[in-house]
Amino acid sequence: MPTNEKEYNGYLLDQLELIERLEMVADDSEAVKKQLAIEKRFVERKLYQKPPIGDE
């Protein structure tokens, strides 16, 4: 479990990188591309949340 915002953001950036690598090999599967786009939005929502974690 991440202990601070920097570590948590690193974890989320790793998830985004994985999604982007999967997007590169998804070929023409529209269902896969659609699901990857949804997952990417979920991760980005957490990564760019306002206010940051430490400001609660």
Side-chain angles (χ1 to χ4, degrees):
M1 187 82 190
T3 58
N4 59 44
E5 185 174 3
K6 185 175 181 179
E7 187 176 351
Y8 185 67
N9 284 345
Y11 172 71
L12 293 172
L13 289 169
D14 288 344
Q15 288 183 340
L16 281 178
E17 184 178 315
L18 175 61
I19 290 169
E20 290 168 357
R21 284 185 274 149
L22 290 171
E23 286 173 334
M24 288 188 270
V25 297
D27 295 326
D28 293 327
S29 175
E30 286 304 314
V32 172
K33 287 181 179 181
K34 185 177 180 179
Q35 188 62 38
L36 286 170
I38 291 168
E39 298 300 330
K40 191 173 187 177
R41 279 197 320 263
F42 291 158
V43 172
E44 287 173 341
R45 185 180 309 145
K46 292 175 188 175
L47 183 62
Y48 303 119
Q49 68 182 341
K50 301 290 182 201
I53 295 170
D55 291 347
E56 296 178 327

Short mmCIF file of all heavy atoms in Angstrom, two decimals:
data_model
loop_
_atom_site.label_atom_id
_atom_site.label_comp_id
_atom_site.label_asym_id
_atom_site.label_seq_id
_atom_site.Cartn_x
_atom_site.Cartn_y
_atom_site.Cartn_z
N MET A 1 0.85 -1.19 0.00
CA MET A 1 0.00 0.00 0.00
C MET A 1 0.89 1.25 0.00
O MET A 1 1.78 1.37 0.85
CB MET A 1 -0.87 -0.03 1.25
CG MET A 1 -1.90 1.04 1.31
SD MET A 1 -3.31 0.52 0.34
CE MET A 1 -4.24 1.99 0.29
N PRO A 2 0.64 2.15 -0.93
CA PRO A 2 1.44 3.38 -0.97
C PRO A 2 1.29 4.18 0.31
O PRO A 2 0.22 4.26 0.90
CB PRO A 2 0.85 4.15 -2.15
CG PRO A 2 0.11 3.15 -2.96
CD PRO A 2 -0.33 2.10 -2.00
N THR A 3 2.38 4.79 0.75
CA THR A 3 2.35 5.51 2.01
C THR A 3 2.21 7.02 1.85
O THR A 3 1.91 7.71 2.80
CB THR A 3 3.62 5.23 2.83
OG1 THR A 3 4.75 5.62 2.05
CG2 THR A 3 3.73 3.76 3.18
N ASN A 4 2.46 7.54 0.64
CA ASN A 4 2.33 8.98 0.46
C ASN A 4 1.87 9.26 -0.97
O ASN A 4 1.79 8.36 -1.81
CB ASN A 4 3.64 9.70 0.77
CG ASN A 4 4.78 9.22 -0.09
OD1 ASN A 4 4.63 9.04 -1.29
ND2 ASN A 4 5.94 9.03 0.52
N GLU A 5 1.57 10.52 -1.23
CA GLU A 5 1.02 10.89 -2.54
C GLU A 5 2.00 10.61 -3.68
O GLU A 5 1.59 10.13 -4.74
CB GLU A 5 0.63 12.36 -2.54
CG GLU A 5 -0.06 12.78 -3.81
CD GLU A 5 -0.59 14.21 -3.76
OE1 GLU A 5 -0.39 14.90 -2.77
OE2 GLU A 5 -1.21 14.61 -4.74
N LYS A 6 3.28 10.86 -3.47
CA LYS A 6 4.27 10.63 -4.52
C LYS A 6 4.32 9.15 -4.89
O LYS A 6 4.35 8.79 -6.07
CB LYS A 6 5.64 11.12 -4.07
CG LYS A 6 6.70 11.03 -5.12
CD LYS A 6 8.00 11.65 -4.65
CE LYS A 6 9.06 11.57 -5.73
NZ LYS A 6 10.31 12.19 -5.31
N GLU A 7 4.31 8.29 -3.89
CA GLU A 7 4.33 6.85 -4.14
C GLU A 7 3.05 6.40 -4.83
O GLU A 7 3.08 5.59 -5.75
CB GLU A 7 4.52 6.11 -2.81
CG GLU A 7 4.72 4.62 -2.97
CD GLU A 7 4.98 3.94 -1.64
OE1 GLU A 7 5.18 4.63 -0.62
OE2 GLU A 7 4.98 2.70 -1.63
N TYR A 8 1.92 6.94 -4.40
CA TYR A 8 0.63 6.60 -5.00
C TYR A 8 0.58 7.05 -6.46
O TYR A 8 0.14 6.31 -7.33
CB TYR A 8 -0.49 7.26 -4.19
CG TYR A 8 -1.89 6.89 -4.63
CD1 TYR A 8 -2.36 5.59 -4.47
CD2 TYR A 8 -2.73 7.83 -5.20
CE1 TYR A 8 -3.64 5.24 -4.86
CE2 TYR A 8 -4.02 7.49 -5.61
CZ TYR A 8 -4.46 6.19 -5.43
OH TYR A 8 -5.73 5.85 -5.84
N ASN A 9 1.08 8.26 -6.74
CA ASN A 9 1.11 8.75 -8.12
C ASN A 9 2.03 7.88 -8.97
O ASN A 9 1.72 7.62 -10.14
CB ASN A 9 1.57 10.21 -8.17
CG ASN A 9 0.48 11.17 -7.75
OD1 ASN A 9 -0.68 10.81 -7.66
ND2 ASN A 9 0.86 12.39 -7.47
N GLY A 10 3.13 7.40 -8.43
CA GLY A 10 4.01 6.50 -9.16
C GLY A 10 3.29 5.22 -9.53
O GLY A 10 3.43 4.71 -10.64
N TYR A 11 2.51 4.71 -8.61
CA TYR A 11 1.71 3.51 -8.85
C TYR A 11 0.70 3.77 -9.97
O TYR A 11 0.54 2.95 -10.88
CB TYR A 11 1.01 3.11 -7.55
CG TYR A 11 0.00 2.02 -7.67
CD1 TYR A 11 0.39 0.70 -7.90
CD2 TYR A 11 -1.36 2.29 -7.53
CE1 TYR A 11 -0.54 -0.31 -8.00
CE2 TYR A 11 -2.29 1.28 -7.64
CZ TYR A 11 -1.89 -0.02 -7.87
OH TYR A 11 -2.82 -1.01 -7.98
N LEU A 12 0.02 4.91 -9.94
CA LEU A 12 -0.96 5.24 -10.98
C LEU A 12 -0.28 5.45 -12.33
O LEU A 12 -0.82 5.03 -13.36
CB LEU A 12 -1.75 6.49 -10.58
CG LEU A 12 -2.66 6.33 -9.36
CD1 LEU A 12 -3.24 7.68 -8.96
CD2 LEU A 12 -3.77 5.33 -9.63
N LEU A 13 0.89 6.07 -12.34
CA LEU A 13 1.62 6.26 -13.60
C LEU A 13 2.04 4.91 -14.18
O LEU A 13 2.01 4.73 -15.40
CB LEU A 13 2.82 7.17 -13.38
CG LEU A 13 2.46 8.63 -13.13
CD1 LEU A 13 3.70 9.41 -12.66
CD2 LEU A 13 1.87 9.28 -14.37
N ASP A 14 2.40 3.96 -13.33
CA ASP A 14 2.71 2.61 -13.80
C ASP A 14 1.49 1.98 -14.46
O ASP A 14 1.60 1.30 -15.48
CB ASP A 14 3.20 1.72 -12.66
CG ASP A 14 4.59 2.06 -12.19
OD1 ASP A 14 5.32 2.78 -12.91
OD2 ASP A 14 4.96 1.62 -11.08
N GLN A 15 0.31 2.19 -13.87
CA GLN A 15 -0.92 1.66 -14.45
C GLN A 15 -1.19 2.29 -15.82
O GLN A 15 -1.57 1.59 -16.76
CB GLN A 15 -2.10 1.88 -13.52
CG GLN A 15 -2.09 1.01 -12.29
CD GLN A 15 -3.32 1.22 -11.43
OE1 GLN A 15 -4.00 2.23 -11.52
NE2 GLN A 15 -3.61 0.25 -10.60
N LEU A 16 -1.00 3.60 -15.92
CA LEU A 16 -1.20 4.28 -17.20
C LEU A 16 -0.25 3.74 -18.26
O LEU A 16 -0.63 3.54 -19.41
CB LEU A 16 -1.01 5.79 -17.06
CG LEU A 16 -2.17 6.57 -16.46
CD1 LEU A 16 -1.80 8.05 -16.35
CD2 LEU A 16 -3.42 6.41 -17.28
N GLU A 17 1.00 3.50 -17.88
CA GLU A 17 1.98 2.96 -18.82
C GLU A 17 1.55 1.59 -19.31
O GLU A 17 1.64 1.29 -20.51
CB GLU A 17 3.34 2.89 -18.15
CG GLU A 17 4.44 2.42 -19.09
CD GLU A 17 5.80 2.40 -18.41
OE1 GLU A 17 6.13 3.36 -17.70
OE2 GLU A 17 6.51 1.39 -18.60
N LEU A 18 1.06 0.76 -18.42
CA LEU A 18 0.58 -0.57 -18.81
C LEU A 18 -0.59 -0.46 -19.78
O LEU A 18 -0.63 -1.16 -20.80
CB LEU A 18 0.17 -1.37 -17.57
CG LEU A 18 -0.47 -2.73 -17.84
CD1 LEU A 18 0.50 -3.64 -18.60
CD2 LEU A 18 -0.90 -3.37 -16.54
N ILE A 19 -1.53 0.42 -19.50
CA ILE A 19 -2.67 0.61 -20.39
C ILE A 19 -2.21 1.06 -21.77
O ILE A 19 -2.69 0.56 -22.80
CB ILE A 19 -3.67 1.62 -19.78
CG1 ILE A 19 -4.37 1.01 -18.56
CG2 ILE A 19 -4.70 2.08 -20.82
CD1 ILE A 19 -5.17 1.99 -17.74
N GLU A 20 -1.26 1.99 -21.81
CA GLU A 20 -0.76 2.48 -23.10
C GLU A 20 -0.06 1.38 -23.88
O GLU A 20 -0.20 1.29 -25.10
CB GLU A 20 0.16 3.68 -22.88
CG GLU A 20 -0.60 4.90 -22.42
CD GLU A 20 0.27 6.04 -21.91
OE1 GLU A 20 1.51 5.87 -21.84
OE2 GLU A 20 -0.30 7.09 -21.58
N ARG A 21 0.69 0.51 -23.20
CA ARG A 21 1.33 -0.62 -23.89
C ARG A 21 0.29 -1.58 -24.43
O ARG A 21 0.45 -2.11 -25.54
CB ARG A 21 2.31 -1.34 -22.97
CG ARG A 21 3.61 -0.56 -22.80
CD ARG A 21 4.62 -1.33 -21.99
NE ARG A 21 4.33 -1.05 -20.58
CZ ARG A 21 4.52 -1.89 -19.57
NH1 ARG A 21 5.01 -3.08 -19.79
NH2 ARG A 21 4.23 -1.53 -18.35
N LEU A 22 -0.76 -1.82 -23.69
CA LEU A 22 -1.83 -2.70 -24.16
C LEU A 22 -2.56 -2.08 -25.36
O LEU A 22 -2.95 -2.80 -26.29
CB LEU A 22 -2.82 -2.99 -23.03
CG LEU A 22 -2.29 -3.89 -21.92
CD1 LEU A 22 -3.26 -3.93 -20.75
CD2 LEU A 22 -2.02 -5.29 -22.43
N GLU A 23 -2.74 -0.76 -25.33
CA GLU A 23 -3.38 -0.08 -26.46
C GLU A 23 -2.58 -0.29 -27.74
O GLU A 23 -3.17 -0.42 -28.82
CB GLU A 23 -3.51 1.42 -26.18
CG GLU A 23 -4.58 1.77 -25.18
CD GLU A 23 -4.58 3.24 -24.80
OE1 GLU A 23 -3.53 3.91 -24.89
OE2 GLU A 23 -5.65 3.71 -24.38
N MET A 24 -1.27 -0.32 -27.65
CA MET A 24 -0.42 -0.49 -28.84
C MET A 24 -0.61 -1.84 -29.50
O MET A 24 -0.42 -1.98 -30.70
CB MET A 24 1.05 -0.28 -28.48
CG MET A 24 1.41 1.15 -28.20
SD MET A 24 3.18 1.37 -28.01
CE MET A 24 3.36 1.12 -26.25
N VAL A 25 -0.96 -2.86 -28.73
CA VAL A 25 -1.09 -4.21 -29.29
C VAL A 25 -2.54 -4.67 -29.42
O VAL A 25 -2.80 -5.80 -29.80
CB VAL A 25 -0.29 -5.24 -28.47
CG1 VAL A 25 1.19 -4.91 -28.52
CG2 VAL A 25 -0.79 -5.34 -27.06
N ALA A 26 -3.49 -3.78 -29.14
CA ALA A 26 -4.90 -4.16 -29.18
C ALA A 26 -5.41 -4.37 -30.60
O ALA A 26 -6.49 -4.89 -30.80
CB ALA A 26 -5.75 -3.11 -28.47
N ASP A 27 -4.64 -3.97 -31.60
CA ASP A 27 -5.01 -4.12 -33.01
C ASP A 27 -6.36 -3.48 -33.29
O ASP A 27 -6.60 -2.36 -32.88
CB ASP A 27 -4.97 -5.58 -33.44
CG ASP A 27 -3.56 -6.15 -33.39
OD1 ASP A 27 -2.60 -5.40 -33.65
OD2 ASP A 27 -3.42 -7.34 -33.08
N ASP A 28 -7.23 -4.22 -33.94
CA ASP A 28 -8.51 -3.65 -34.36
C ASP A 28 -9.67 -4.06 -33.46
O ASP A 28 -10.83 -3.92 -33.85
CB ASP A 28 -8.81 -4.04 -35.80
CG ASP A 28 -7.83 -3.41 -36.77
OD1 ASP A 28 -7.38 -2.28 -36.50
OD2 ASP A 28 -7.51 -4.05 -37.79
N SER A 29 -9.39 -4.57 -32.30
CA SER A 29 -10.45 -5.00 -31.39
C SER A 29 -11.08 -3.77 -30.73
O SER A 29 -10.54 -3.22 -29.77
CB SER A 29 -9.90 -5.94 -30.33
OG SER A 29 -10.91 -6.26 -29.40
N GLU A 30 -12.20 -3.35 -31.25
CA GLU A 30 -12.87 -2.16 -30.72
C GLU A 30 -13.31 -2.35 -29.27
O GLU A 30 -13.25 -1.41 -28.48
CB GLU A 30 -14.06 -1.77 -31.60
CG GLU A 30 -13.66 -1.15 -32.91
CD GLU A 30 -12.77 0.08 -32.75
OE1 GLU A 30 -13.07 0.94 -31.91
OE2 GLU A 30 -11.76 0.15 -33.47
N ALA A 31 -13.73 -3.54 -28.91
CA ALA A 31 -14.17 -3.79 -27.53
C ALA A 31 -13.00 -3.61 -26.56
O ALA A 31 -13.16 -3.01 -25.50
CB ALA A 31 -14.76 -5.19 -27.40
N VAL A 32 -11.83 -4.11 -26.94
CA VAL A 32 -10.66 -3.98 -26.08
C VAL A 32 -10.24 -2.51 -25.99
O VAL A 32 -9.96 -2.00 -24.90
CB VAL A 32 -9.49 -4.86 -26.61
CG1 VAL A 32 -8.22 -4.57 -25.83
CG2 VAL A 32 -9.85 -6.33 -26.52
N LYS A 33 -10.19 -1.82 -27.11
CA LYS A 33 -9.81 -0.41 -27.11
C LYS A 33 -10.78 0.43 -26.28
O LYS A 33 -10.36 1.32 -25.55
CB LYS A 33 -9.76 0.12 -28.54
CG LYS A 33 -8.57 -0.38 -29.31
CD LYS A 33 -8.56 0.20 -30.72
CE LYS A 33 -7.36 -0.28 -31.50
NZ LYS A 33 -7.33 0.29 -32.84
N LYS A 34 -12.06 0.11 -26.38
CA LYS A 34 -13.07 0.85 -25.61
C LYS A 34 -12.86 0.64 -24.11
O LYS A 34 -12.89 1.58 -23.33
CB LYS A 34 -14.46 0.40 -26.04
CG LYS A 34 -15.58 1.18 -25.41
CD LYS A 34 -16.92 0.72 -25.96
CE LYS A 34 -18.06 1.49 -25.33
NZ LYS A 34 -19.37 1.07 -25.86
N GLN A 35 -12.62 -0.61 -23.71
CA GLN A 35 -12.41 -0.90 -22.29
C GLN A 35 -11.13 -0.27 -21.78
O GLN A 35 -11.09 0.25 -20.67
CB GLN A 35 -12.39 -2.41 -22.05
CG GLN A 35 -12.36 -2.78 -20.58
CD GLN A 35 -13.58 -2.29 -19.82
OE1 GLN A 35 -14.69 -2.30 -20.33
NE2 GLN A 35 -13.37 -1.85 -18.59
N LEU A 36 -10.06 -0.28 -22.59
CA LEU A 36 -8.81 0.36 -22.18
C LEU A 36 -9.00 1.86 -21.99
O LEU A 36 -8.45 2.45 -21.06
CB LEU A 36 -7.71 0.09 -23.21
CG LEU A 36 -7.14 -1.32 -23.19
CD1 LEU A 36 -6.25 -1.54 -24.40
CD2 LEU A 36 -6.38 -1.59 -21.91
N ALA A 37 -9.79 2.49 -22.85
CA ALA A 37 -10.06 3.93 -22.71
C ALA A 37 -10.79 4.21 -21.40
O ALA A 37 -10.50 5.19 -20.71
CB ALA A 37 -10.87 4.43 -23.89
N ILE A 38 -11.72 3.34 -21.04
CA ILE A 38 -12.45 3.50 -19.78
C ILE A 38 -11.50 3.35 -18.59
O ILE A 38 -11.51 4.17 -17.66
CB ILE A 38 -13.60 2.46 -19.69
CG1 ILE A 38 -14.68 2.80 -20.71
CG2 ILE A 38 -14.17 2.39 -18.27
CD1 ILE A 38 -15.71 1.70 -20.91
N GLU A 39 -10.66 2.32 -18.62
CA GLU A 39 -9.71 2.10 -17.54
C GLU A 39 -8.75 3.28 -17.40
O GLU A 39 -8.42 3.71 -16.29
CB GLU A 39 -8.92 0.80 -17.76
CG GLU A 39 -9.77 -0.45 -17.79
CD GLU A 39 -10.54 -0.71 -16.51
OE1 GLU A 39 -10.06 -0.32 -15.42
OE2 GLU A 39 -11.64 -1.30 -16.59
N LYS A 40 -8.32 3.83 -18.54
CA LYS A 40 -7.41 4.97 -18.52
C LYS A 40 -8.06 6.18 -17.87
O LYS A 40 -7.44 6.88 -17.07
CB LYS A 40 -6.99 5.30 -19.96
CG LYS A 40 -5.88 6.29 -20.06
CD LYS A 40 -5.43 6.41 -21.51
CE LYS A 40 -4.21 7.27 -21.64
NZ LYS A 40 -3.74 7.31 -23.04
N ARG A 41 -9.33 6.43 -18.16
CA ARG A 41 -10.05 7.55 -17.53
C ARG A 41 -10.13 7.36 -16.02
O ARG A 41 -9.98 8.32 -15.25
CB ARG A 41 -11.45 7.69 -18.12
CG ARG A 41 -11.49 8.41 -19.43
CD ARG A 41 -12.88 8.90 -19.81
NE ARG A 41 -13.96 7.98 -19.49
CZ ARG A 41 -14.51 7.12 -20.36
NH1 ARG A 41 -14.09 7.06 -21.59
NH2 ARG A 41 -15.51 6.34 -19.99
N PHE A 42 -10.39 6.13 -15.57
CA PHE A 42 -10.47 5.86 -14.14
C PHE A 42 -9.15 6.17 -13.45
O PHE A 42 -9.12 6.78 -12.38
CB PHE A 42 -10.85 4.39 -13.87
CG PHE A 42 -12.26 4.03 -14.25
CD1 PHE A 42 -12.59 2.71 -14.50
CD2 PHE A 42 -13.26 4.99 -14.37
CE1 PHE A 42 -13.88 2.34 -14.84
CE2 PHE A 42 -14.56 4.63 -14.72
CZ PHE A 42 -14.86 3.31 -14.94
N VAL A 43 -8.04 5.74 -14.04
CA VAL A 43 -6.72 5.98 -13.45
C VAL A 43 -6.41 7.47 -13.46
O VAL A 43 -5.94 8.03 -12.46
CB VAL A 43 -5.63 5.17 -14.18
CG1 VAL A 43 -4.25 5.57 -13.68
CG2 VAL A 43 -5.84 3.68 -13.99
N GLU A 44 -6.67 8.14 -14.58
CA GLU A 44 -6.39 9.58 -14.67
C GLU A 44 -7.22 10.37 -13.67
O GLU A 44 -6.76 11.35 -13.11
CB GLU A 44 -6.64 10.08 -16.09
CG GLU A 44 -5.57 9.62 -17.05
CD GLU A 44 -5.87 9.97 -18.49
OE1 GLU A 44 -7.04 10.24 -18.84
OE2 GLU A 44 -4.91 9.96 -19.29
N ARG A 45 -8.45 9.94 -13.42
CA ARG A 45 -9.30 10.63 -12.44
C ARG A 45 -8.64 10.59 -11.06
O ARG A 45 -8.65 11.58 -10.34
CB ARG A 45 -10.67 9.95 -12.39
CG ARG A 45 -11.65 10.66 -11.48
CD ARG A 45 -13.00 9.98 -11.44
NE ARG A 45 -13.53 9.74 -12.77
CZ ARG A 45 -14.26 8.66 -13.10
NH1 ARG A 45 -14.53 7.74 -12.20
NH2 ARG A 45 -14.72 8.51 -14.31
N LYS A 46 -8.06 9.46 -10.70
CA LYS A 46 -7.38 9.34 -9.41
C LYS A 46 -6.08 10.15 -9.40
O LYS A 46 -5.74 10.79 -8.41
CB LYS A 46 -7.06 7.88 -9.12
CG LYS A 46 -8.27 7.03 -8.87
CD LYS A 46 -7.87 5.58 -8.71
CE LYS A 46 -9.07 4.67 -8.66
NZ LYS A 46 -8.67 3.25 -8.63
N LEU A 47 -5.35 10.09 -10.52
CA LEU A 47 -4.05 10.75 -10.59
C LEU A 47 -4.17 12.26 -10.51
O LEU A 47 -3.38 12.93 -9.86
CB LEU A 47 -3.34 10.34 -11.88
CG LEU A 47 -1.93 10.88 -12.10
CD1 LEU A 47 -0.99 10.37 -11.00
CD2 LEU A 47 -1.42 10.43 -13.46
N TYR A 48 -5.17 12.81 -11.17
CA TYR A 48 -5.30 14.27 -11.26
C TYR A 48 -6.40 14.82 -10.35
O TYR A 48 -6.96 15.87 -10.62
CB TYR A 48 -5.56 14.67 -12.71
CG TYR A 48 -4.49 14.18 -13.64
CD1 TYR A 48 -4.77 13.31 -14.67
CD2 TYR A 48 -3.16 14.57 -13.46
CE1 TYR A 48 -3.78 12.85 -15.52
CE2 TYR A 48 -2.16 14.11 -14.29
CZ TYR A 48 -2.47 13.25 -15.32
OH TYR A 48 -1.50 12.79 -16.14
N GLN A 49 -6.70 14.11 -9.28
CA GLN A 49 -7.78 14.54 -8.39
C GLN A 49 -7.47 15.88 -7.74
O GLN A 49 -6.33 16.23 -7.50
CB GLN A 49 -8.04 13.49 -7.33
CG GLN A 49 -6.92 13.32 -6.33
CD GLN A 49 -7.23 12.23 -5.33
OE1 GLN A 49 -8.38 11.86 -5.16
NE2 GLN A 49 -6.22 11.71 -4.69
N LYS A 50 -8.52 16.62 -7.47
CA LYS A 50 -8.42 17.90 -6.77
C LYS A 50 -9.30 17.80 -5.53
O LYS A 50 -10.46 17.44 -5.66
CB LYS A 50 -8.92 19.05 -7.64
CG LYS A 50 -8.16 19.21 -8.92
CD LYS A 50 -6.75 19.71 -8.68
CE LYS A 50 -6.05 19.90 -10.01
NZ LYS A 50 -4.66 19.90 -9.95
N PRO A 51 -8.88 18.14 -4.38
CA PRO A 51 -7.52 18.49 -3.98
C PRO A 51 -6.64 17.25 -3.91
O PRO A 51 -7.15 16.14 -3.84
CB PRO A 51 -7.70 19.10 -2.60
CG PRO A 51 -8.88 18.40 -2.05
CD PRO A 51 -9.78 18.16 -3.25
N PRO A 52 -5.32 17.41 -3.92
CA PRO A 52 -4.42 16.27 -3.79
C PRO A 52 -4.68 15.53 -2.48
O PRO A 52 -5.26 16.07 -1.54
CB PRO A 52 -3.03 16.92 -3.78
CG PRO A 52 -3.21 18.24 -4.45
CD PRO A 52 -4.61 18.67 -4.10
N ILE A 53 -4.19 14.34 -2.40
CA ILE A 53 -4.41 13.47 -1.24
C ILE A 53 -4.01 14.15 0.06
O ILE A 53 -4.72 14.08 1.04
CB ILE A 53 -3.62 12.16 -1.41
CG1 ILE A 53 -4.17 11.36 -2.59
CG2 ILE A 53 -3.68 11.31 -0.15
CD1 ILE A 53 -3.32 10.17 -2.99
N GLY A 54 -2.88 14.80 0.10
CA GLY A 54 -2.36 15.38 1.32
C GLY A 54 -3.14 16.58 1.84
O GLY A 54 -2.94 17.01 2.97
N ASP A 55 -4.04 17.14 1.05
CA ASP A 55 -4.77 18.35 1.44
C ASP A 55 -6.14 18.07 2.06
O ASP A 55 -6.96 18.95 2.17
CB ASP A 55 -4.97 19.27 0.23
CG ASP A 55 -3.66 19.88 -0.23
OD1 ASP A 55 -2.67 19.78 0.52
OD2 ASP A 55 -3.63 20.43 -1.33
N GLU A 56 -6.37 16.84 2.47
CA GLU A 56 -7.68 16.49 3.03
C GLU A 56 -7.85 17.02 4.43
O GLU A 56 -7.01 17.12 5.22
CB GLU A 56 -7.87 14.98 3.03
CG GLU A 56 -7.89 14.43 1.63
CD GLU A 56 -8.02 12.92 1.59
OE1 GLU A 56 -7.50 12.25 2.51
OE2 GLU A 56 -8.63 12.43 0.66
#
